[in-house]
Amino acid sequence: MKIGIIGLGLIGGSLGLDLTARGYEVVGVSRQQETCDRALAKGIATITGQDLRLLDKTDLIFVCTPIGAIVRAIESIVPYLPPETIITDVGSVKGAIVAPATKLWSNFVGSHPMAGTAHQGVEAAEYNLFENAPCVITPIAETSPEAIAKISQIWEALGCKLYHTSPEKHDCAVAWISHLPVMISANLIHSCSEIKSTEVKQLAQALASSGFKDTSRVGGGNPELGLMMAQYNRQELLNSLLEYRQNLDLLIDNIEKENWDFLEQFLSDTQDLRANFLH
Amino acid sequence: MKIGIIGLGLIGGSLGLDLTARGYEVVGVSRQQETCDRALAKGIATITGQDLRLLDKTDLIFVCTPIGAIVRAIESIVPYLPPETIITDVGSVKGAIVAPATKLWSNFVGSHPMAGTAHQGVEAAEYNLFENAPCVITPIAETSPEAIAKISQIWEALGCKLYHTSPEKHDCAVAWISHLPVMISANLIHSCSEIKSTEVKQLAQALASSGFKDTSRVGGGNPELGLMMAQYNRQELLNSLLEYRQNLDLLIDNIEKENWDFLEQFLSDTQDLRANFLH
């Protein structure tokens, strides 16, 4: 089987490492010649290049570009593909991608592997990134069952734990546990950076330790990704932000009223509630 | 020098390990006989017991009880102490402690070592916990300069990086970088636990990965500690929460209006701003 990968960053590059290691012929395409050269040197692909026509005989293509470029990338490659080629993407939003991509290519099925590290780019690519990672497959009514089966099989072979759901339910779930955390974490960084007294701000900067570091990590991450989460999953993100703000108002109100029974219950509950989200 | 420690949990126990390792005679006092036995077995102290009179000939005492018990503990021990004994505490709020403690004992000086792990209790005590940790000394006008010098010296000997400031500035700084993160993190856990659709909630629980885990960590921590932060640093915490909410309103408003230039700048700034809080 010949597999194509468009976009050779952390996700595309890591996919390439695992797929070449499993003996597949992997064609890697990037807009940057330098990235192509690095990908070839690292063993991410067996052939690399900037020309989309390199993908013309692939059985399966992973589109690993930033969210905003996925549909355009599919539009650019379909003229070169035989109809049996299956295309998937790895974007962290699905509603804005699956319907238009399926219109462009009936053998399209959306994927979202929930894997990552703190780093970006081809140099960050690593083996076994997908081992034990959840991966969501998001078919719609028009999606070909063969494409679903084939894509599911390959993610499973890479070690993913599979979930199948609609693009809408996917986007709603990730708004809560992935996009909302980015925004509240970024807002913490901004708020702490606006401490009015210079002396107190410098002290806060000196004293910040692991608690601040962990809570602010995703807010200090890739700004392009955060922006695209908001642009392409705006309504679900807003819903989660509005609920979050309502709960915050309740919390503030109870602290103002010194309603310590409420706060004690609120903080005790989180230990158990959080455990439901850990694996 | 003979050093007393009241409260043999993570902080008191770790202090005991470092101090006994440096050859000090360490008297450990806990309300639980079992904790005293474990502390002795672990080498946290050279003598342990439940009786506060054990502290009668100590040169220096660390009060390492929960915040709400610090002033009461000092009140209980002062009848047994010679006037030259220096007392400090390790509480994470200082305004509510330093003034009343100084009234009870003129040789009192407040400390706050910013060290911790995810664990609690005597079993969690570890060597070198304070190595490179910031430690704030919070004198007031009445504090004895000798007490400040002696306490500063001992924290430095344990590896702490020292800061001297007023209890008020300390409480303001920690509200922002320590107490506020606990509340926004706990609020994330609650909000995600209230997702209305059961199917989406189960999916969110399955998909939550390192981003959710890190952002929710401090909110799922010791509820007693969170409660006391709010009770004993209520006004500073409220100030930070209200500013946080105001910034959140601005963020939500800009996402609602699809003002993507604002969001791009907001998310790009956080990378640099966050770096000011990391060491």
Side-chain angles (χ1 to χ4, degrees):
Chain A
M1 190 156 65
K2 191 171 166 183
I3 299 179
I5 302 176
I6 310 180
L8 302 171
L10 169 66
I11 300 293
S14 300
L15 259 174
L17 288 174
D18 283 359
L19 293 169
T20 50
R22 279 161 177 80
Y24 293 110
E25 193 184 343
V26 175
V27 184
V29 175
S30 167
R31 299 174 78 166
Q32 316 283 335
Q33 188 55 48
E34 205 187 320
T35 304
C36 294
D37 296 342
R38 285 300 302 141
L40 202 61
K42 282 187 67 137
I44 284 170
T46 37
I47 313 167
T48 62
Q50 295 168 283
D51 190 344
L52 294 171
R53 277 172 293 190
L54 286 170
L55 298 164
D56 69 348
K57 292 209 178 76
T58 47
D59 303 287
L60 178 60
I61 295 175
F62 288 90
V63 182
C64 304
T65 65
I67 299 168
I70 293 172
V71 175
R72 256 182 291 136
I74 294 170
E75 204 165 14
S76 309
I77 55 174
V78 294
Y80 309 112
L81 303 180
E84 56 280 8
T85 303
I86 295 168
I87 305 180
T88 192
D89 75 314
V90 298
S92 56
V93 302
K94 300 266 67 91
I97 290 164
V98 178
T102 305
K103 264 195 190 151
L104 290 167
W105 195 251
S106 64
N107 255 334
F108 174 86
V109 53
S111 312
H112 178 203
M114 308 280 294
T117 71
H119 307 287
Q120 296 164 235
V122 67
E123 294 301 343
E126 56 183 63
Y127 286 98
N128 302 317
L129 183 67
F130 306 100
E131 189 78 44
N132 297 318
C135 180
V136 194
I137 311 289
T138 56
I140 56 177
E142 296 84 350
T143 307
S144 130
E146 292 76 29
I148 300 173
K150 195 138 187 180
I151 291 293
S152 300
Q153 199 182 358
I154 203 150
W155 283 120
E156 258 181 345
L158 298 180
C160 287
K161 195 166 172 212
L162 287 192
Y163 296 88
H164 291 79
T165 193
S166 67
E168 292 70 31
K169 281 178 186 147
H170 166 276
D171 286 0
C172 184
V174 296
W176 285 101
I177 49 89
S178 174
H179 305 173
L180 174 64
V182 168
M183 299 303 156
I184 66 160
S185 175
N187 197 51
L188 173 68
I189 300 170
H190 273 275
S191 300
C192 289
S193 301
E194 289 166 12
I195 298 174
K196 287 179 192 92
S197 148
T198 308
E199 196 184 339
V200 171
K201 185 158 121 180
Q202 283 171 350
L203 186 64
Q205 289 173 340
L207 300 185
S209 62
S210 63
F212 180 86
K213 194 176 169 185
D214 283 1
T215 317
S216 66
R217 186 179 66 80
V218 295
N222 183 351
E224 269 178 48
L225 187 59
L227 178 63
M228 287 188 184
M229 288 170 175
Q231 288 177 321
Y232 291 90
N233 200 20
R234 179 172 158 276
Q235 198 50 60
E236 292 299 346
L237 175 61
L238 277 173
N239 291 347
S240 70
L241 277 165
L242 292 170
E243 290 263 0
Y244 182 88
R245 184 174 60 181
Q246 203 171 314
N247 286 332
L248 192 67
D249 285 345
L250 186 67
L251 179 62
I252 291 172
D253 190 46
N254 277 287
I255 295 175
E256 266 171 352
K257 290 183 175 139
E258 306 190 34
N259 187 353
W260 304 129
D261 289 346
F262 171 91
L263 187 63
E264 189 171 15
Q265 192 62 52
F266 186 88
L267 294 172
S268 303
D269 287 348
T270 54
Q271 287 192 309
D272 290 338
L273 292 173
R274 181 171 182 257
N276 297 325
F277 292 85
L278 307 180
H279 317 287
Chain B
M1 191 156 65
K2 191 170 165 183
I3 298 179
I5 301 175
I6 309 180
L8 302 171
L10 169 65
I11 299 294
S14 299
L15 259 174
L17 288 174
D18 282 359
L19 293 170
T20 50
R22 279 162 177 80
Y24 293 110
E25 192 184 342
V26 176
V27 183
V29 175
S30 166
R31 297 174 79 166
Q32 316 282 335
Q33 188 54 47
E34 207 187 320
T35 304
C36 293
D37 297 342
R38 285 301 300 141
L40 202 61
K42 283 188 67 139
I44 284 170
T46 36
I47 313 168
T48 62
Q50 295 168 282
D51 190 345
L52 294 171
R53 276 171 294 188
L54 287 170
L55 300 163
D56 67 348
K57 291 207 180 75
T58 47
D59 302 289
L60 178 61
I61 294 174
F62 288 91
V63 182
C64 303
T65 65
I67 299 168
I70 293 172
V71 175
R72 255 181 292 136
I74 294 171
E75 203 165 17
S76 310
I77 55 173
V78 293
Y80 309 112
L81 304 181
E84 55 281 9
T85 302
I86 294 169
I87 304 180
T88 191
D89 75 313
V90 298
S92 57
V93 302
K94 301 264 68 90
I97 288 165
V98 178
T102 306
K103 263 196 191 151
L104 289 167
W105 195 249
S106 63
N107 255 334
F108 175 86
V109 54
S111 310
H112 178 203
M114 308 278 295
T117 71
H119 307 287
Q120 297 165 235
V122 67
E123 294 302 342
E126 56 183 62
Y127 285 98
N128 301 318
L129 182 67
F130 306 99
E131 190 78 44
N132 296 319
C135 180
V136 194
I137 311 289
T138 57
I140 55 177
E142 296 83 350
T143 307
S144 130
E146 292 75 31
I148 301 173
K150 194 136 188 183
I151 290 293
S152 300
Q153 199 183 355
I154 204 151
W155 284 120
E156 260 183 342
L158 298 180
C160 286
K161 197 165 172 216
L162 287 193
Y163 297 88
H164 292 78
T165 193
S166 67
E168 292 68 33
K169 282 176 184 149
H170 166 275
D171 286 0
C172 183
V174 297
W176 285 100
I177 51 87
S178 173
H179 305 173
L180 174 64
V182 168
M183 299 303 156
I184 68 161
S185 175
N187 197 50
L188 174 68
I189 299 170
H190 273 275
S191 300
C192 289
S193 300
E194 288 165 12
I195 298 174
K196 287 182 190 88
S197 148
T198 308
E199 196 183 339
V200 171
K201 183 157 121 181
Q202 282 170 351
L203 186 64
Q205 289 173 341
L207 300 185
S209 61
S210 62
F212 180 86
K213 195 176 167 184
D214 283 1
T215 318
S216 65
R217 186 178 66 80
V218 295
N222 183 351
E224 268 178 50
L225 188 58
L227 178 63
M228 288 189 184
M229 288 169 174
Q231 288 178 321
Y232 291 89
N233 200 20
R234 179 172 158 275
Q235 198 50 59
E236 292 299 346
L237 175 61
L238 277 173
N239 291 347
S240 70
L241 277 165
L242 292 169
E243 290 263 0
Y244 182 88
R245 185 176 59 180
Q246 204 171 314
N247 286 331
L248 191 67
D249 286 346
L250 186 69
L251 178 63
I252 291 172
D253 190 47
N254 277 288
I255 295 175
E256 265 171 354
K257 290 181 176 140
E258 306 191 34
N259 187 354
W260 304 129
D261 289 345
F262 170 91
L263 187 63
E264 189 171 15
Q265 193 62 52
F266 185 88
L267 293 173
S268 303
D269 288 347
T270 55
Q271 289 192 308
D272 291 337
L273 291 174
R274 180 171 181 258
N276 297 326
F277 292 85
L278 306 180
H279 316 289

